[in-house]
Amino acid sequence: MKQKTQVDLLHGPIMKSLVIFMIPIVISNIFQQFYNAVDTAIVGNYLGDNSLAAIGACSAVFEMLVQFCSSLGNGFSIVCGRSFGSGDADTMKRSVAGSILIGAITCIVLTFLSIFLLKPLLMLINTPPEIIEESHSYIHIIALGLIVMFTYNLCSAMLRAIGNSVMPLIFLVISSLLNIVLDITLIMSFHMGVKGAAIATVIAQGVSAFLCIAYILKSVPILIPEKRHFSIGTDLLKELAGQGYAMAMMGSIVSVGSIILQSGINSLGKEIIAGHVAARKLYMICNLPFISMGVAISAFISQNKGANQGNRILKAMKDAYIYDVVAAALVSLVLFTFAPTFVRMISGSTNPVIIQNGSKMLYIVGPFYAVLGVLMQTRFALQGLGSKLIPMISSIIELCGKILFVFILIPRFQYDAVVWCEPLIWVAMTIQLLYAFNTNKYVVETKRSLKNA
């Protein structure tokens, strides 16, 4: 039975459905960013520049953990959405059961590994010695809460797979507000430093996961597997593992590139780190309209491919690209007008070097958001069509580009190379993805059938 919070992605006006479905995802992602952005703002304002730099030095590792959990859940949800689109409720429940099993095992293994690998990783990426202990104390606690992070992302991804993007937003808003209260309490009242910020994040994420599970158990029986559904079948397990790990690996490769880039940034000193981390929080927030449309496109395409409605897929991509250009123009206007104010507010610093470095990155990135949007929609579209290898190739391009910048260009051009790194890499990735989408077998066959109709 369709819930009131579900959006019908299989029928009716395409752009209207995408926007209605996407808006809660945008807001959800904004609040998701609050988990770390609020930590950054409170730490910068109440603990000082050194603690701010400590969180900044491990920010790429934090992004890697978030990216892995969300990508794994999104990969599983593509298989679920395809079953939903084809009306196969039994396979959909087996998909949920398989996602739970694979995800739980994966999180347990990764949590165990993180206990031993995080400190060497921070050393590997050139974290300054005077802040490495604070950085490790923060990211270690975050990593111990990995299964909580995954649980929320899996539940919200499954709800989005059936067209419900509203309820994950509601639960995330509640937990984000709780995170702010806990941050202030643990840092200011209990004087727990950056550990308090990390503990607040894990507790708040646990609340969002609990609320999401409770809602599914009460109101979305179509997503609740029975005992018999845990007899999943080899083919479905392979499909879930292939799609889930392909997306998670893609996200992880991107994050490894970010960690390598962070090592180049860390080598430039504390003022560069502090300015960049403040700008990075704003950069991530500005990414959200494009990432959120990508998530919507992925759900839309997985459902419509299951229903074999290729014409709707092509129309949706055209609408999404127009959206990207308009959204990028608006984001650029805001950044050109308010970048220094935003950097000052997030960092809590009045150091002109920190503010200038952060603003410089935002000025350059702004116009390239149109390229990033096309990149995101095309990559998510390919994933929604079931493509596993091609989107990963784009991530390898990004990784290789960041290695080139860190080892060759940043030593020569310093922070100028840092701020130009990602925009230029986006251009190369977008060219590869557009070619891959337009030569995809399903897309080619759909265009041929529409031409012959």
Side-chain angles (χ1 to χ4, degrees):
M1 183 177 70
K2 183 179 176 182
Q3 302 290 315
K4 291 181 179 179
T5 48
Q6 280 180 235
V7 178
D8 186 355
L9 300 176
L10 295 169
H11 311 93
I14 292 173
M15 193 60 192
K16 179 181 178 182
S17 297
L18 283 172
V19 170
I20 292 173
F21 182 71
M22 184 199 71
I23 287 173
I25 299 174
V26 174
I27 302 172
S28 293
N29 283 330
I30 289 172
F31 277 94
Q32 188 81 50
Q33 289 299 318
F34 275 2
Y35 277 120
N36 197 223
V38 168
D39 290 347
T40 301
I42 292 176
V43 166
N45 280 278
Y46 294 102
L47 298 180
D49 288 350
N50 265 19
S51 294
L52 175 65
I55 287 185
C58 65
S59 62
V61 181
F62 181 91
E63 289 173 20
M64 180 178 70
L65 295 174
V66 173
Q67 185 72 28
F68 182 89
C69 291
S70 62
S71 297
L72 188 62
N74 286 335
F76 294 150
S77 73
I78 286 172
V79 182
C80 182
R82 212 175 293 147
S83 301
F84 180 79
S86 64
D88 189 348
D90 188 71
T91 300
M92 186 168 66
K93 291 188 177 186
R94 293 184 193 277
S95 299
V96 175
S99 301
I100 293 170
L101 290 175
I102 298 171
I105 294 170
T106 302
C107 286
I108 291 170
V109 171
L110 288 177
T111 301
F112 179 78
L113 290 175
S114 72
I115 295 172
F116 302 100
L117 297 179
L118 282 174
K119 187 72 169 285
L121 178 59
L122 290 174
M123 296 172 65
L124 184 65
I125 63 174
N126 299 320
T127 304
E130 63 268 30
I131 62 174
I132 193 168
E133 292 302 327
E134 268 194 302
S135 289
H136 181 254
S137 66
Y138 177 82
I139 199 63
H140 177 69
I141 293 170
I142 297 293
L144 291 178
L146 187 66
I147 195 161
V148 174
M149 192 187 302
F150 170 75
T151 300
Y152 168 75
N153 279 284
L154 176 64
C155 292
S156 60
M158 290 301 175
L159 286 171
R160 288 194 296 266
I162 63 170
N164 187 338
S165 58
V166 173
M167 295 311 298
L169 164 63
I170 293 173
F171 304 139
L172 193 59
V173 168
I174 294 170
S175 64
S176 296
L177 295 175
L178 175 62
N179 182 56
I180 296 172
V181 173
L182 289 173
D183 263 334
I184 295 172
T185 302
L186 296 179
I187 291 175
M188 296 180 62
S189 300
F190 289 89
H191 308 291
M192 295 179 68
V194 295
K195 287 184 179 179
I199 292 170
T201 296
V202 173
I203 292 174
Q205 287 175 334
V207 170
S208 64
F210 172 80
L211 292 173
C212 215
I213 292 171
Y215 172 75
I216 290 173
L217 291 174
K218 181 179 179 181
S219 303
V220 195
I222 195 172
L223 288 178
I224 303 173
E226 301 169 20
K227 183 177 180 180
R228 63 186 177 88
H229 293 120
F230 283 87
S231 177
I232 300 160
T234 304
D235 289 343
L236 183 56
L237 272 176
K238 286 181 179 178
E239 178 64 15
L240 285 166
Q243 196 71 59
Y245 285 133
M247 287 192 72
M249 284 298 296
M250 184 201 72
S252 297
I253 291 170
V254 171
S255 297
V256 167
S258 296
I259 290 173
I260 291 171
L261 179 60
Q262 187 70 53
S263 72
I265 296 166
N266 288 351
S267 68
L268 300 177
K270 289 189 295 183
E271 287 185 327
I272 295 289
I273 296 173
H276 186 78
V277 69
R280 189 86 185 169
K281 301 310 169 190
L282 295 165
Y283 156 88
M284 293 299 293
I285 290 172
C286 291
N287 281 0
L288 298 183
F290 310 99
I291 295 173
S292 301
M293 177 57 81
V295 174
I297 282 288
S298 178
F300 182 95
I301 288 180
S302 61
Q303 284 193 24
N304 279 275
K305 187 185 178 187
N308 197 28
Q309 298 188 125
N311 60 321
R312 285 178 62 82
I313 290 174
L314 296 181
K315 290 177 182 177
M317 292 305 295
K318 181 180 178 181
D319 289 347
Y321 292 152
I322 294 171
Y323 162 88
D324 290 331
V325 174
V326 174
L330 294 175
V331 169
S332 296
L333 178 62
V334 171
L335 291 180
F336 278 121
T337 307
F338 298 109
T341 302
F342 289 151
V343 173
R344 190 181 300 111
M345 181 175 62
I346 290 291
S347 67
S349 176
T350 56
N351 186 328
V353 177
I354 290 176
I355 295 168
Q356 180 182 0
N357 286 331
S359 300
K360 185 176 185 178
M361 174 190 170
L362 298 172
Y363 290 147
I364 291 174
V365 166
F368 284 89
Y369 274 116
V371 178
L372 178 65
V374 173
L375 186 163
M376 289 290 181
Q377 316 324 329
T378 310
R379 183 155 65 185
F380 275 101
L382 285 164
Q383 290 163 346
L385 290 170
S387 179
K388 302 176 182 68
L389 180 61
I390 297 299
M392 197 178 299
I393 291 174
S394 72
S395 301
I396 294 172
I397 292 173
E398 182 171 0
L399 174 62
C400 293
K402 287 180 177 176
I403 291 172
L404 171 68
F405 268 82
V406 167
F407 290 102
I408 297 177
L409 299 177
I410 290 177
R412 181 175 179 181
F413 298 105
Q414 300 291 294
Y415 194 59
D416 285 336
V418 172
V419 298
W420 279 102
C421 175
E422 287 172 307
L424 295 180
I425 293 172
W426 292 343
V427 174
M429 294 167 66
T430 301
I431 292 170
Q432 178 258 338
L433 287 167
L434 285 172
Y435 175 80
F437 180 79
N438 285 288
T439 56
N440 178 272
K441 182 179 178 181
Y442 186 83
V443 172
V444 171
E445 290 178 352
T446 298
K447 288 181 177 179
R448 185 181 297 122
S449 64
L450 289 173
K451 185 177 180 180
N452 294 334

